[in-house]
Amino acid sequence: MSAPLLRIEELRVAFRGTGGLIEAVRGVDFGVAPGEVVGIVGESGSGKSLSMLAVMRLLGATARATGGRVIFDGEDLLAATEARMREIRGRDIAMVFQDPQSSLNPALTIGRQVTDVVRAHRRVSASEARRIAVEALERVGISEAGRRLDAYPHEFSGGMRQRALIAMAIACRPRLLIADEPTTALDVTVQAQIVELIAELRRDLGLAVIFISHNLHLVAEIVDRVVVMYGGKVVEDGPAADIELAARHPYTRLLRACVPSLHGPLGPLAAIEGAPPRLGRMPAGCPFAPRCPQAADACEREMPPLATDGARRIACWRPQ
Amino acid sequence: MFRLLAGRFFASLGTLFFVGLVLFALTRAGPGSPARIVLGADATSQQITQFEHANGLDRPFLEQYAAWLFDVLRGDFGKSFVTGRDVAGEIAGALPVTLSVVLLAFVIAIVVGIGIGSLAALRPGGPFASVTRLGVVLGLSIPAFWLGIVLIRFIAVELRWLPPGGYVPPSSGLIAHLQTIAMPAVSLAVYYIAVLARMTQASLQDALRGDYVRTARAMGLSSPRIVFYALLNALPPVINLAALSFGYMFGWALIIEQVFNIPGLSRALLNAISQRDFLLLQGIVFLFTAIFVLANLGADLVNRVLDPRQRSSA
Ligand SMILES: Nc1ncnc2c1ncn2[C@@H]1O[C@H](COP(=O)(O)OP(=O)(O)O)[C@@H](O)[C@H]1O
Ligand SMILES: [Mg+2]
């Protein structure tokens, strides 16, 4: 495996709560190789978004990274200045978010929003920026892109808006695209198109991608590797096929069972019993132990380490 | 869009029509016929009937109103029964004076209010936001006339930087003109600076929490640009409030003009009240209403230009 493009080491994120600092990301650790597509899955609240916002240094005023390192191309982003981060965002790493309805500025044309990204990072003329914008929009599958530059977000459908956001993200040819549940707010058919688009971009541009989703099957379609998160920690990590077909962590196995596959038969929707642990009330042992069908005494007492096993890593005292 | 605007325009005309009607009724509801006021207590009833007939006062109320309204729409506010002078001429003489004070106050309030509010919104818990919060409370609670008196005392009397009162028209020198209206305009503006700063701060703070702001940051856009783009979405409520403020300012300007001894509409209005010159009174109040309605129409227009969703809806 080549040197990783992004290496997240023991990342911790906390925010100020009523009773002092509350840790929501508790030592996340994984890497992304150049051109690799990594999926992050886990129930809502497991710390996926916070981890990635920490990588981008876009945590709001209330939350902050309290430990660990984020090495991108040899540089620790957690130690970089804000000015340096502004250079990196959009040019080397870009991020798109869950809700395309609200993620575009309603007062500006699509063209303005794409060209602004280009002009934030490259000294080009207005007409050259427009040309690059048209190219980016065409690449994400928006037809008649030249005419659509003057359209406003409200004139676009949800899927088109997500495409426009992806166009903004890729306009400067970043090496890493972070997509935080980019399909969650969309219709099922549109979801599949966006997933297909991201796979295509990765193929054509050699882009590395971190694709966050709570739908394991959706992710497994396009990713090389899956990172499973629970309670602010990575609990399992390995090649997509292995995780989908032979997950070893009880949580991953349950997660796999409770989301219908995009193509498979639509069985009864199962859900994992119980609720994720409340923040600030993390159990001392494995965070999943209270809900785990396999849990033993050891699980309640001590957190299992993330142990390497070939190409996979797993944090469980009783892996399957 | 034109249909919408036309709709708003006719709605405004309707408002003016009804306000004018109420005004007309109220000024006539007072005791005693205008003829009695003009001709004096010892006029004979024959003289009064003659006067009322000559001035159309014996015609049905609605007919009088319609006649007055048509004249007003042509710019003719009638002739005062009391002074015999042309009401429109009287207003035209005083309005530019009041307007220059109000316009300067309005510009100050907009620029300073939106500026302070925007800066305060950047760091919600920061020191500037705290100072602004205090300043807003202060600005809202200081009476404009009191501020005017304080300014006269210190800036005009002690420091002798500006004249304590009076008015120089712009035609006699722009600098001298500005010197006479600077303190009145500032006194008038302070309350509205506070009002607009508070609204801008709240609205922009809200906009800055928006998802599109996070997108812009994730794409590496510069902070000033991001704030400006957020402001585009934060401005509509501020603009509506500014339009209301513009209307209210005319009311407060009357008091400020008294403090600074400025010969604007306040003098005309006070004369009209004390002499029961109700055509003049009616004309001035109707003018204030028209300004209020027009300002709101203007705000609507600006907001439509700012918001592409409204611009493109037919
Ligand atoms: N600014 C914040 N203030 C308080 N709680 C937060 C904040 N941001 C996130 N959280 C909490 O942190 C946890 C992890 O959030 P998140 O990373 O968004 O989860 P995911 O993306 O996996 O659904 C959630 O329980 C969420 O409620
Ligand atoms: Mg999330």
Side-chain angles (χ1 to χ4, degrees), chain A residues 15-16 24-25 42-51 62-63 180-181 212 279:
Chain A
F15 47 83
R16 254 185 289 285
V25 175
E43 282 169 298
S44 149
S46 50
K48 307 180 297 290
S49 299
L50 279 180
S51 310
T62 50
D180 188 355
E181 310 219 21
I212 302 178
L279 287 176

Side-chain angles (χ1 to χ4, degrees), chain A residues 215-295:
Chain A
N215 185 335
L216 179 60
H217 295 290
L218 188 79
V219 161
E221 308 254 320
I222 58 159
V223 305
D224 303 313
R225 207 151 53 76
V226 176
V227 173
V228 183
M229 282 186 65
Y230 188 83
K233 282 177 172 290
V234 174
V235 294
E236 184 165 16
D237 160 16
D242 293 354
I243 297 284
E244 222 212 342
L245 300 175
R248 298 190 59 203
H249 197 288
Y251 175 62
T252 317
R253 294 174 77 93
L254 285 170
L255 199 61
R256 195 183 53 173
C258 72
V259 197
S261 151
L262 260 188
H263 305 302
L266 203 63
L269 256 184
I272 305 176
E273 266 180 52
R278 298 250 318 269
L279 287 176
R281 300 246 180 95
M282 284 292 170
C286 172
F288 190 58
R291 299 166 76 188
C292 181
Q294 259 79 41

